């Protein structure tokens, strides 16, 4: 393979390829569609399709697929070959504009939450020309949105694109008010930092819990965990280094700017961060990244675990969503400016985010809610389920000065007047970063840290974009009607700071005292679990906001709420069934074998000399026998509780039973089994232990 600059993006039908392979007229027309959302005419689509096919075939592709993101959380594809019969009995490779623009996968088994009656099982996929097509294996993949014939979104890309458009529309209104008439569009960008675990494939294969659920459901704490902090940024082991190297190559070929990689806090945990990209592209890339991480791992005899909590007792995995808003000419609207005017504009966008996060904290929590992520957010781990924002000391002092009309003490003790005074230069020193905050300002972007490692970043960004669009809309309405722009602006910023101060918290987010203060004094939401938060998706204020910006219809929201709760229930039920099975067919029989050995040893000793006490064997046999009884009883109790589940009338009730009963009983069964593990000879234990898994890759 040549140098990185030679093969970077070699499997992507990107701007360079388009320019080289399309006529100037077709290229210009396509660019207009990509940049400004102009309608694409069929003649252009045909020309693009033909060039795309020729390029793909030249690069080894034989098939194409519309690549989409149904609500299952992973990506879907249905491959069609380019081959068409030709009159002479041979074949030709064909691909039309129609096939590029629209596809009709047989979509009846993707979740729709009742949006699509089974007699109308068809859905269609529609090309997203703003995200480049790429080749995976022998297949040309075309990023698409997925909708029902009624036009309802059945995927994550459609509402994401709508939310980007909503924010674009409102941000343009604001920029106009600031006298910016040249800006064509405003887009959000995201750089998602992805955490993951690597474990040995042979060990993984021996654990039904990992294979069926992605996480360990049993496992006593190993003698060594993460307490030494010696893994974080530690030396990368050779096998892991080889994996990362190949992963980077594969991602680079797909035009994904994988940039940094390092070991994380927990043993066997790592992180990969790309350079940020426009949100819908970043979302496609993150889905692809997760897929390729797993594929490459298999080649190295490894398994990449993307579950939020693969191991109890060590840190789980998240995904940090670094988010900013920029104009088409590359001006970052979350970057403090050089002039008073730019500063006022920056403060307004900052306030829009503060207001959005406070008003729609529930939607942000909902956007990251899954059974897996509940193990991080609701538990004693970072970040907490309470949404709050960190701004840093300097910015905080500025806001305080504005709120109270007091001098800002950071500079020359002058009273800050927006649009007149220059903001102080903010120190972008990383030391004032708050790693415990769920939503932190980091100099020129916000870092939303509540996402789970397996989450699609679409959901979080849909809510974030929409909520900020709503703040901007309210601001634009007010400012457009104001007689004196500057006074109105100043008052509005002041009011936002006053009204939303409660969401700003600069202390330690892990602290129990904070959770108490947040919920009792500040009235912030603390939805610890998915069943706690998900029904609030349908709260009137949320439905009103999301429908008014055209991001979701009410029917789409209802269906999503159902699907998310169904996913939650199914996930936990599979885990519970796996536990019952492992306890009954693996753990209990293993303990019994060891008990038999112990009893046999005691009997043999007694036969030699009846005077030998055999206290060790006797007490261990007693303890383990009590544990096998207890394990059996708890497995039965869990099984019985699972049998009762179908009696729940609706999915919300079912999710409550799972939260309150099933998960509790799973915890009880685990406790007995984990104790048995600590007492059973290792050679009898039926699968690799935590120590094996966490320290097994060298
Ligand atoms: P960290 O110290 O958290 O690693 P970095 O500056 O390295 O912070 O950035 C982390 C992620 O944030 C990367 O994916 C990076 O590309 C992304 N990022 C940087 N600037 C922006 C921006 N303006 N908008 C969105 N994402 C950004
Ligand atoms: Mg980060």
């Amino acid at each position: 393979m040549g140098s990185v600059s030679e093969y970077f993006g070699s499997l992507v039908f990107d701007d360079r390829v388009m320019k080289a392979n399309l006529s100037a007229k077709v290229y210009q027309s396509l660019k207009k569609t990509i940049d400004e959302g102009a309608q694409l005419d069929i003649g252009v689509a045909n020309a693009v399709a033909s060039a795309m096919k020729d390029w793909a075939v030249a690069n080894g592709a034989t098939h194409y697929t519309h690549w989409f993101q149904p609500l299952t959380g992973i990506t879907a594809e249905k491959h069609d070959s380019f081959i068409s019969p030709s009159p002479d009995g041979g074949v030709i490779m064909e691909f039309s504009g129609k096939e590029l623009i629209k596809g009709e996968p047989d979509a009846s088994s993707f979740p729709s939450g009742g949006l699509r009656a089974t007699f109308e099982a068809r859905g269609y996929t529609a090309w997203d020309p703003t995200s480049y097509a790429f080749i995976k294996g022998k297949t040309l993949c075309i990023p698409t949105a997925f909708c029902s014939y009624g036009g309802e979104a059945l995927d994550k890309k459609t509402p994401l694109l709508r939310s980007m458009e909503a924010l674009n529309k409102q941000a343009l209104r604001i920029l106009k008010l600031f006298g910016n008439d040249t800006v064509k569009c405003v887009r959000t960008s995201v750089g998602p930092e992805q955490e993951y675990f690597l474990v040995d494939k042979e060990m993984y294969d021996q654990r039904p819990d990992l294979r069926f659920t992605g996480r360990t459901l049993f496992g006593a704490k190993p003698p060594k965990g993460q307490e030494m902090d010696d893994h974080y940024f530690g030396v990368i082991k050779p096998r892991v280094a080889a994996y990362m190297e190949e992963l980077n190559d594969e991602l680079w070929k797909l035009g994904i700017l994988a940039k940094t990689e390092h070991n994380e806090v927990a043993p066997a945990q790592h992180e990969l961060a790309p350079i940020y990209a426009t949100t819908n592209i970043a979302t496609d890339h993150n889905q692809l990244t997760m897929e390729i991480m797993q594929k490459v791992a298999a080649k190295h005899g490894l398994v990449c675990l993307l579950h939020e909590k693969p191991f109890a007792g060590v840190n789980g995995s998240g995904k940090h969503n670094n988010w900013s808003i920029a104009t088409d000419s590359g001006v970052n609207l979350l970057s403090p400016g050089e002039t008073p005017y730019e500063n006022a504009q920056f403060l307004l966008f900052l306030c829009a985010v503060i207001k959005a996060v406070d008003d729609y904290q529930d939607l942000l929590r909902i956007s990251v809610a899954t059974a897996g992520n509940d193990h991080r957010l609701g538990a004693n781990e970072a970040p907490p389920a309470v949404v709050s924002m960190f701004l840093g000391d300097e910015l905080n002092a500025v806001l305080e000065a504005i709120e109270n009309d007091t001098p800002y003490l950071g500079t020359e003790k002058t009273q800050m007047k927006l649009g007149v005074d220059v903001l102080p230069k903010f120190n972008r020193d990383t030391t004032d970063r708050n790693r415990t905050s769920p939503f932190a300002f980091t100099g020129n972007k916000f870092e939303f840290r509540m996402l789970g490692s397996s989450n699609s970043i679409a959901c979080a960004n849909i809510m974030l974009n929409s909520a900020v669009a709503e703040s901007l809309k309210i601001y634009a309405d007010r400012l457009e009607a104001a007689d004196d722009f500057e006074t109105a602006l100043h008052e509005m910023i002041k009011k936002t700071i006053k009204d939303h101060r409660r969401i700003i918290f600069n202390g330690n987010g892990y602290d129990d005292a904070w959770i108490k203060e947040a919920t009792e004094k500040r009235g912030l939401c603390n939805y610890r679990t998915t069943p706690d938060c998900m029904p609030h998706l349908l709260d009137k204020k949320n439905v009103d906001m999301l429908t008014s910006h055209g991001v979701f219809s009410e029917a789409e929201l209802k269906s999503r709420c159902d699907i998310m709760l169904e996913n939650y229930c199914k996930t936990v039920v599979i885990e519970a069934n796996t536990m019952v099975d492992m306890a009954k067919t693996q753990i209990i029989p293993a303990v019994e074998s060891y008990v038999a050995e112990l009893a046999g040893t005691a009997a043999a000793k007694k036969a030699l000399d009846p005077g030998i006490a055999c206290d060790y064997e006797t007490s261990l046999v007693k303890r383990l026998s009590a544990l096998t009884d207890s394990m059996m009883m708890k497995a039965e109790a869990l099984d019985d509780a699972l049998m009762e589940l179908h009696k729940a009338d609706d999915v919300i009730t079912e999710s409550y039973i799972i939260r309150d009963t099933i998960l509790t009983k799973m915890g009880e069964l685990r406790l007995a089994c984990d104790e048995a593990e600590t007492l059973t000879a290792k050679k009898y234990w039926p699968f690799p232990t935590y120590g094996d898994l966490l320290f097994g890759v060298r």
Side-chain angles (χ1 to χ4, degrees):
M1 208 159 14
S3 69
V4 177
S5 59
E6 280 167 43
Y7 65 85
F8 184 85
S10 60
L11 298 177
V12 186
F13 193 74
D14 60 16
D15 199 58
R16 298 173 301 181
V17 185
M18 290 182 200
K19 224 179 218 155
N21 292 290
L22 298 172
S23 73
K25 204 170 140 242
V26 169
Y27 174 77
Q28 289 308 336
S29 169
L30 179 60
K31 268 306 256 186
K32 226 176 146 56
T33 302
I34 293 173
D35 294 341
E36 296 161 41
Q39 192 86 43
L40 194 72
D41 90 24
I42 188 70
V44 173
N46 278 328
V48 176
S50 167
M52 219 185 241
K53 185 248 320 172
D54 289 344
W55 166 83
V57 170
N59 282 284
T62 52
H63 288 64
Y64 72 91
T65 181
H66 275 197
W67 184 78
F68 57 104
Q69 298 165 29
L71 298 171
T72 50
I74 50 171
T75 56
E77 33 195 86
K78 173 189 169 239
H79 296 191
D80 277 310
S81 85
F82 290 122
I83 290 176
S84 263
S86 69
D88 62 4
V91 290
I92 47 167
M93 303 292 254
E94 267 192 344
F95 185 48
S96 69
K98 212 173 125 234
E99 288 166 311
L100 167 63
I101 294 178
K102 195 164 172 177
E104 297 192 28
D106 173 18
S108 49
S109 42
F110 290 114
S112 79
L115 276 182
R116 196 187 37 213
T118 30
F119 62 84
E120 203 12 319
R122 288 178 312 161
Y124 69 91
T125 49
W127 182 32
D128 169 15
T130 61
S131 183
Y132 298 135
F134 56 90
I135 296 172
K136 208 173 61 179
K138 289 184 173 302
T139 305
L140 168 70
C141 298
I142 300 153
T144 55
F146 176 41
C147 297
S148 76
Y149 265 86
E152 288 108 348
L154 298 174
D155 69 347
K156 302 193 175 182
K157 187 189 269 280
T158 306
L160 180 65
L161 292 171
R162 291 173 183 162
S163 75
M164 290 169 70
E165 182 43 36
L167 190 132
N168 173 48
K169 187 172 155 194
Q170 303 305 332
L172 285 178
R173 286 175 70 193
I174 297 285
L175 292 178
K176 271 220 166 66
L177 286 164
F178 278 89
N180 188 338
D181 290 320
T182 54
V183 56
K184 283 206 202 86
C185 78
V186 169
R187 290 206 185 104
T188 56
S189 297
V190 171
E193 298 165 74
Q194 174 77 48
E195 289 181 337
Y196 61 99
F197 279 83
L198 284 178
V199 296
D200 186 82
K201 170 101 167 59
E202 264 179 42
M203 293 188 199
Y204 169 95
D205 284 340
Q206 295 170 53
R207 299 225 25 158
D209 47 1
L210 283 178
R211 284 191 285 122
F212 295 137
T213 74
R215 74 176 178 110
T216 55
L217 299 166
F218 300 102
K221 209 170 156 344
K224 177 178 156 106
Q226 64 187 50
E227 50 282 278
M228 303 289 284
D229 276 336
D230 53 355
H231 190 254
Y232 192 48
F233 281 68
V235 177
I236 297 173
K237 293 177 186 134
R239 223 172 132 195
V240 176
Y243 165 77
M244 287 176 168
E245 197 175 310
E246 185 172 346
L247 176 60
N248 279 342
D249 279 341
E250 291 306 313
L251 294 175
W252 288 338
K253 281 191 234 164
L254 286 165
I256 298 172
L257 289 150
K259 173 102 170 115
T260 55
E261 58 208 15
H262 59 77
N263 288 350
E264 265 298 333
V265 177
Q269 192 185 32
H270 311 280
E271 183 190 285
L272 179 144
I275 293 175
Y276 65 98
T278 303
T279 304
N280 68 319
I281 295 169
T283 305
D284 288 354
H285 280 180
N286 184 246
Q287 292 297 126
L288 260 180
T289 300
M290 291 194 284
E291 184 183 324
I292 292 177
M293 286 169 98
Q294 285 165 313
K295 260 195 198 143
V296 173
K299 286 208 219 161
H300 291 256
L302 299 167
V303 176
C304 171
L305 302 178
L306 290 169
H307 194 282
E308 282 73 17
K309 194 72 181 173
F311 302 98
V314 290
N315 274 11
S317 297
K319 184 139 58 188
H320 291 177
N321 190 83
N322 293 273
W323 176 91
S324 65
I325 320 175
T327 65
D328 53 315
S329 57
V331 177
N332 181 350
L333 299 171
L334 294 178
S335 191
E338 303 286 338
T339 67
Y341 234 55
E342 285 170 2
N343 285 160
Q345 186 179 294
F346 159 72
L347 283 171
L348 181 137
F349 278 96
L350 179 78
C351 282
V353 180
I354 295 173
K355 179 174 165 55
V357 174
D358 188 23
D359 287 343
Y360 298 100
Q361 45 181 289
D362 46 356
L363 286 182
L364 291 177
R365 170 66 183 96
I366 286 165
S367 75
V368 299
T370 59
N373 214 14
D374 283 357
H375 294 291
R376 300 171 64 233
L377 303 179
N380 215 357
E381 193 168 329
V386 177
V387 179
S388 68
M389 289 175 94
F390 170 82
L391 297 178
D393 293 341
E394 288 171 302
L395 198 48
N396 226 30
V398 170
L399 295 188
E400 225 151 73
I402 296 172
E403 180 184 355
N404 303 320
D405 282 323
T406 52
Y408 171 66
L409 298 175
T411 50
E412 292 118 41
K413 305 198 179 201
T414 48
Q415 192 133 332
M416 283 265 312
K417 193 161 177 342
L418 286 172
V420 178
D421 292 318
V422 182
L423 281 182
K425 270 257 172 289
F426 296 118
N427 199 349
R428 285 192 55 192
D429 186 357
T430 47
T431 52
D432 81 337
R433 294 260 202 108
N434 183 331
R435 293 266 159 209
T436 67
S437 176
F439 204 103
F441 183 68
T442 50
N444 62 355
K445 62 185 193 289
F446 278 99
E447 188 165 334
F448 182 33
R449 304 199 176 112
M450 287 170 84
L451 287 77
S453 46
S454 70
N455 285 165
S456 158
I457 63 170
C459 307
N461 287 292
I462 292 168
M463 295 311 176
L464 190 51
N465 292 341
S466 306
V468 173
E470 174 68 7
S471 305
L472 293 175
K473 176 183 176 294
I474 293 169
Y475 290 174
D477 286 349
R478 236 178 263 164
L479 291 174
E480 281 167 1
D483 297 329
D484 176 0
F485 175 74
E486 264 162 40
T487 311
L489 177 67
H490 190 91
E491 285 311 308
M492 218 171 60
I493 288 180
K494 250 178 87 166
K495 184 168 156 40
T496 300
I497 301 167
K498 226 181 215 83
D499 291 352
H500 299 286
R501 181 150 281 291
R502 65 170 188 164
I503 198 75
I504 297 166
F505 175 64
N506 293 305
N508 180 0
Y510 302 175
D511 206 342
D512 284 340
W514 159 240
I515 304 299
K516 210 168 136 66
E517 177 185 333
T519 50
E520 289 172 15
K521 286 213 186 93
R522 302 194 187 202
L524 300 176
C525 307
N526 182 18
Y527 298 128
R528 294 177 57 119
T529 69
T530 302
D532 294 334
C533 67
M534 199 49 75
H536 292 284
L537 182 61
L538 302 178
D539 286 358
K540 186 172 181 319
K541 78 164 177 65
N542 295 334
V543 175
D544 285 351
M545 188 276 280
L546 291 164
T547 54
S548 76
H549 289 280
V551 175
F552 285 112
S553 68
E554 193 166 350
E556 286 171 347
L557 285 170
K558 285 208 174 96
S559 82
R560 262 153 229 257
C561 180
D562 273 1
I563 290 170
M564 297 317 285
L565 284 171
E566 266 165 26
N567 281 348
Y568 171 86
C569 295
K570 282 183 194 158
T571 304
V572 182
V573 167
I574 292 170
E575 290 177 349
N577 279 322
T578 305
M579 283 190 90
V580 171
D581 197 57
M582 286 173 79
K584 287 188 183 173
T585 67
Q586 291 191 284
I587 298 175
I588 296 173
V591 176
E592 286 286 275
S593 301
Y594 183 44
V595 167
E597 184 192 304
L598 288 168
T601 306
K605 284 185 182 173
K606 290 264 183 214
L608 277 178
D609 176 357
I612 297 179
C614 298
D615 289 346
Y616 166 72
E617 290 85 355
T618 312
S619 71
L620 201 47
V621 165
K622 274 191 190 153
R623 181 67 202 132
L624 284 173
S625 299
L627 277 172
T628 40
D629 290 345
S630 157
M631 287 189 279
M632 197 59 195
M633 224 173 63
K634 284 169 175 157
E636 293 290 343
L638 179 55
D639 217 6
D640 291 346
L642 286 166
M643 299 292 195
E644 295 287 301
L645 262 186
H646 70 272
K647 290 188 184 155
D649 288 334
D650 55 62
V651 70
I652 295 185
T653 315
E654 188 183 343
S655 74
Y656 291 160
I657 300 173
I658 286 177
R659 176 194 64 189
D660 300 333
T661 309
I662 304 289
L663 282 166
T664 311
K665 292 196 184 304
M666 284 165 65
E668 288 165 2
L669 173 58
R670 175 174 185 152
L671 207 63
C673 293
D674 288 357
E675 188 186 339
E677 185 190 328
T678 64
L679 298 173
T680 304
K682 174 114 168 92
K683 67 172 180 184
Y684 284 99
W685 203 249
F687 37 74
T689 62
Y690 266 33
D692 300 331
L693 288 164
L694 288 168
F695 298 95
V697 177
R698 259 165 260 286

